[in-house]
Amino acid sequence: MKTKNALASIVIMLILSSGLCFDSIAQENKTSEDIKKMEENKNMDEKRMQEKMMDNKMTMPGMADVASWPMSSQMALKEQMALYGKPTEMTPTMAIWYNNGPWKKTVISKMESKHDFPKSHMDCMMQCVSFKVPTDMYDELGKFDGSVTVDRTQGLLAARCDKEENNFLALNLAYDVIMKKKTVDEARRAYGEMIMMAMKGSKPEYMKKLMFDSNTNAADSDMNTIK
């Protein structure tokens, strides 16, 4: 009798264990399916955007024909024109705005750069603010995100991505690193987590606006060392 009870207990434990295993696999598959579905929706949106742009080629009086620009650059241009109107300057390879919204300058380039952090995309839009970055934080910013750059002489802190919301995110996290609110690793982890939130339809505050004030006196002309 004891042997039968023991065998029955083992069988029950195996069944329960199998159930938990199947639940875990199902959950993992569901997560993978969710991510796959988000990617498919994104690809469909980009395809529809491309078809629409090919119809009108986004030509305007005084503007270059951007039909030959990469899709990432065309989409960034459409986004910025919807927000801030026609570029201040337009060349065959660049569209430039000055003092548009919270930005000191926005530059969309025909030349894009592949960037794999936090997931693969194409950088094509640089947006900068006036901000004085302590020189001892330059290396930390480079470790955080290679597309976050500093121009010490002009006093500019810039991010380069494909969407304004991503540039908000990069610069807000860069500010946290500068102010030592987050370590580099914490900032990189937060970047990935917030991008995933946005992909699922819940956009964090860090992606809606700049969370810090720019500096009006950020330029640093350095010093004369030749007598």
Side-chain angles (χ1 to χ4, degrees), residues 50-137:
Q50 185 173 15
E51 290 173 350
K52 187 175 181 180
M53 288 179 178
M54 288 302 293
D55 289 339
N56 57 33
K57 295 187 178 180
M58 287 184 62
T59 53
M60 289 178 57
M63 284 186 61
D65 185 347
V66 298
S68 63
W69 287 26
M71 184 49 51
S72 60
S73 300
Q74 290 192 42
M75 291 179 70
L77 181 59
K78 183 177 179 64
E79 173 196 80
Q80 291 299 292
M81 287 177 60
L83 290 171
Y84 307 114
K86 185 177 175 181
T88 309
E89 297 178 16
M90 189 78 189
T91 76
T93 59
M94 286 191 300
I96 306 170
W97 288 259
Y98 297 101
N99 299 311
N100 57 313
W103 307 109
K104 178 77 171 178
K105 182 168 67 173
T106 293
V107 180
I108 297 175
S109 175
K110 180 180 180 180
M111 183 179 294
E112 56 184 4
S113 305
K114 188 173 185 293
H115 190 192
D116 290 328
F117 171 75
K119 67 187 299 291
S120 295
H121 62 279
M122 303 304 292
D123 285 350
C124 61
M125 179 170 65
M126 185 276 292
Q127 294 180 295
C128 62
V129 294
S130 295
F131 193 82
K132 194 176 187 69
V133 179
T135 55
D136 62 349
M137 297 305 297

Side-chain angles (χ1 to χ4, degrees), residues 10 15 23-24 34 42 64 72 74 78 83 88 97 101 109 130 164 191 195 203 207 220:
I10 292 172
I15 292 172
D23 287 344
S24 177
D34 288 342
K42 179 182 177 184
S72 60
Q74 290 192 42
K78 183 177 179 64
L83 290 171
T88 309
W97 288 259
S109 175
S130 295
E164 180 171 284
Y191 199 120
I195 289 293
K203 189 181 296 183
M207 299 181 73
D220 182 357

Side-chain angles (χ1 to χ4, degrees), residues 29-225:
N29 288 338
K30 183 179 179 182
T31 302
S32 299
E33 290 171 1
D34 288 342
I35 294 174
K36 183 178 179 181
K37 187 174 181 180
M38 285 189 290
E39 289 292 339
E40 290 174 351
N41 290 338
K42 179 182 177 184
N43 291 337
M44 286 296 294
D45 289 341
E46 290 181 353
K47 185 177 180 181
R48 284 194 291 267
M49 180 74 74
Q50 185 173 15
E51 290 173 350
K52 187 175 181 180
M53 288 179 178
M54 288 302 293
D55 289 339
N56 57 33
K57 295 187 178 180
M58 287 184 62
T59 53
M60 289 178 57
M63 284 186 61
D65 185 347
V66 298
S68 63
W69 287 26
M71 184 49 51
S72 60
S73 300
Q74 290 192 42
M75 291 179 70
L77 181 59
K78 183 177 179 64
E79 173 196 80
Q80 291 299 292
M81 287 177 60
L83 290 171
Y84 307 114
K86 185 177 175 181
T88 309
E89 297 178 16
M90 189 78 189
T91 76
T93 59
M94 286 191 300
I96 306 170
W97 288 259
Y98 297 101
N99 299 311
N100 57 313
W103 307 109
K104 178 77 171 178
K105 182 168 67 173
T106 293
V107 180
I108 297 175
S109 175
K110 180 180 180 180
M111 183 179 294
E112 56 184 4
S113 305
K114 188 173 185 293
H115 190 192
D116 290 328
F117 171 75
K119 67 187 299 291
S120 295
H121 62 279
M122 303 304 292
D123 285 350
C124 61
M125 179 170 65
M126 185 276 292
Q127 294 180 295
C128 62
V129 294
S130 295
F131 193 82
K132 194 176 187 69
V133 179
T135 55
D136 62 349
M137 297 305 297
Y138 289 6
D139 286 347
E140 295 301 290
L141 290 181
K143 293 174 186 175
F144 159 58
D145 184 347
S147 291
V148 170
T149 57
V150 178
D151 184 327
R152 175 183 167 189
T153 304
Q154 295 188 63
L156 300 177
L157 175 63
R160 191 168 189 263
C161 199
D162 59 340
K163 298 175 183 170
E164 180 171 284
E165 62 188 30
N166 294 347
N167 282 337
F168 280 143
L169 176 59
L171 291 183
N172 284 329
L173 288 171
Y175 177 77
D176 284 351
V177 171
I178 293 168
M179 302 306 294
K180 300 182 179 179
K181 295 180 179 180
K182 286 182 175 66
T183 65
V184 168
D185 288 341
E186 288 171 344
R188 286 176 65 84
R189 185 164 56 252
Y191 199 120
E193 291 171 351
M194 292 189 209
I195 289 293
M196 285 298 296
M197 288 173 61
M199 289 174 65
K200 293 178 180 178
S202 177
K203 189 181 296 183
E205 287 297 314
Y206 269 51
M207 299 181 73
K208 296 179 180 179
K209 61 181 180 179
L210 289 175
M211 309 290 284
F212 60 93
D213 294 328
S214 58
N215 303 148
T216 56
N217 189 28
D220 182 357
S221 62
D222 210 333
M223 64 178 68
N224 192 336
T225 60

